[in-house]
Amino acid sequence: MQPSRRLETPIIGIFIILLLHVMVWASSFLIPITAAILSYLVFSRPRRWLARRGLPDMLIATIFTSFLFVLLGVAIIWFAEPVVNFIDELPELARDFQQELASEGGPLAALNEAATAIGDAVEGETEKKPLKVEVVSDKSTTSTILTMAPSVLGQVVFAIFLTFFLIGSGDFFARRTVESIARLRDKRRAVEVIHTIEERLGRYLGGIAVINAGLGLSIGTAMWFWGLSNYIGLGVMGFVLNFVPFLGAVAGAAISGFIAYVTLGDGWIAFGAAATYMALTSIEGQVVTPLLISRRMELNTPILFLVVAFFAYIWSVIGMVVAVPILIVAKIICDEVEGLQRLGYFLGDAEGSGAAEIDESG
């Protein structure tokens, strides 16, 4: 084996370790950049359509980013108060839920009695030791979120401005990428890959956003039907959580059932609210999304779960949202680049369209 071959593996390993470290260390900077790049890819096809009709790129960028700022403003004005109230009520709801479970006749009544008996048995020893009391403010959760809000809002604004400059640059980055490739055949292939990413990613993200908006409206309406006063906050929560695969639906159903049980005090209503939430997300995931979005976007479920978990570990909740688009881009590149098609097939679902191509080629 040549010395260069022997060094190749450890160099790649060191690069991956350094890359992961940078992704964690610079997460607050990389998250808005990733969001801006994804937004640029989504807006590329409509930008080209408008450019062919004579509109300059900077004007198109102004139109698109103004639309994003309007959406941000509408979301803050319409949903800020119900969402903040919803978050503000969570500590009190959790305390009421705990008291309800431990009350006489509750599911944890026996456990509470046992704990009381143990406490009485060791009362003599406890009296000899000073008792430490920790005071926890009811507003701690709200204060933490309100403290994080300016940072999150700053990242969103930064992402929108970066999207403006990316859209305003037109096809500059695509042209530079193609010009850096030597062979004409590879240049054409690169153009096809870029266009495929723009088409499929735009279709996926645009479709998912519309579907999730409809799902959030349906969830809010269903929670209003069950008699929950904070149905607007639950609808917004359903819209956001549905961008997170696997965990989003389960977490949303659990929170809905928990709030219904605490506020209404009826276990059957709580079960009905949680079941309704799961039913709506199941209909969306099993019927609506497959009908409106191409099956070519379906991914290997275990790999998708691992990727979502990884990005959740390094980038928290935002990482779970961007994990799917990033994996989609990786799969498209693998599907379109020779030598990586087997990896693309591996990233796809069990009935992926690339199965026949792999079998025929190899």
Side-chain angles (χ1 to χ4, degrees), residues 234-261:
L234 291 172
V236 176
M237 179 194 69
F239 167 76
V240 175
L241 287 180
N242 204 54
F243 283 99
V244 180
F246 310 117
L247 301 179
V250 176
I255 294 174
S256 299
F258 159 73
I259 293 176
Y261 183 76

Side-chain angles (χ1 to χ4, degrees), residues 67-282:
F67 173 71
L68 294 177
F69 274 118
V70 168
L71 286 181
L72 179 62
V74 169
I76 293 176
I77 294 173
W78 282 6
F79 301 123
E81 183 176 356
V83 171
V84 169
N85 292 337
F86 171 70
I87 295 172
D88 190 29
E89 293 173 359
L90 279 180
E92 184 178 355
L93 292 174
R95 186 167 53 251
D96 294 341
F97 182 68
Q98 183 180 6
Q99 293 176 356
E100 184 72 22
L101 291 178
S103 62
E104 184 177 355
L108 300 182
L111 182 61
N112 190 36
E113 293 176 0
T116 303
I118 294 175
D120 294 338
V122 297
E123 181 178 0
E125 181 181 354
T126 305
E127 291 178 351
K128 300 178 183 179
K129 297 181 180 180
L131 181 63
K132 295 182 179 180
V133 179
E134 181 180 359
V135 178
V136 180
S137 173
D138 291 340
K139 304 295 184 180
S140 59
T141 304
T142 304
S143 301
T144 301
I145 294 176
L146 292 179
T147 302
M148 295 172 55
S151 175
V152 175
L153 183 61
Q155 291 184 351
V156 173
V157 172
F158 172 68
I160 294 177
F161 274 111
L162 181 57
T163 303
F164 170 80
F165 290 111
L166 289 175
I167 296 175
S169 66
D171 291 321
F172 174 81
F173 292 100
R175 287 198 302 267
R176 287 295 180 267
T177 301
V178 174
E179 290 171 359
S180 64
I181 301 175
R183 295 190 302 176
L184 179 61
R185 177 172 175 267
D186 294 336
K187 290 179 183 289
R188 293 175 178 172
R189 193 61 173 170
V191 172
E192 293 176 358
V193 171
I194 294 174
H195 288 173
T196 302
I197 291 175
E198 294 173 352
E199 178 184 1
R200 296 187 190 174
L201 190 62
R203 183 187 308 163
Y204 172 80
L205 290 179
I208 286 297
V210 173
I211 291 172
N212 288 356
L215 177 65
L217 180 62
S218 301
I219 289 174
T221 304
M223 296 304 110
W224 171 82
F225 175 80
W226 283 110
L228 299 180
S229 59
N230 42 16
Y231 58 90
I232 296 179
L234 291 172
V236 176
M237 179 194 69
F239 167 76
V240 175
L241 287 180
N242 204 54
F243 283 99
V244 180
F246 310 117
L247 301 179
V250 176
I255 294 174
S256 299
F258 159 73
I259 293 176
Y261 183 76
V262 173
T263 56
L264 302 178
D266 191 321
W268 286 109
I269 293 180
F271 175 78
T276 301
Y277 191 106
M278 284 300 299
L280 290 174
T281 55
S282 298

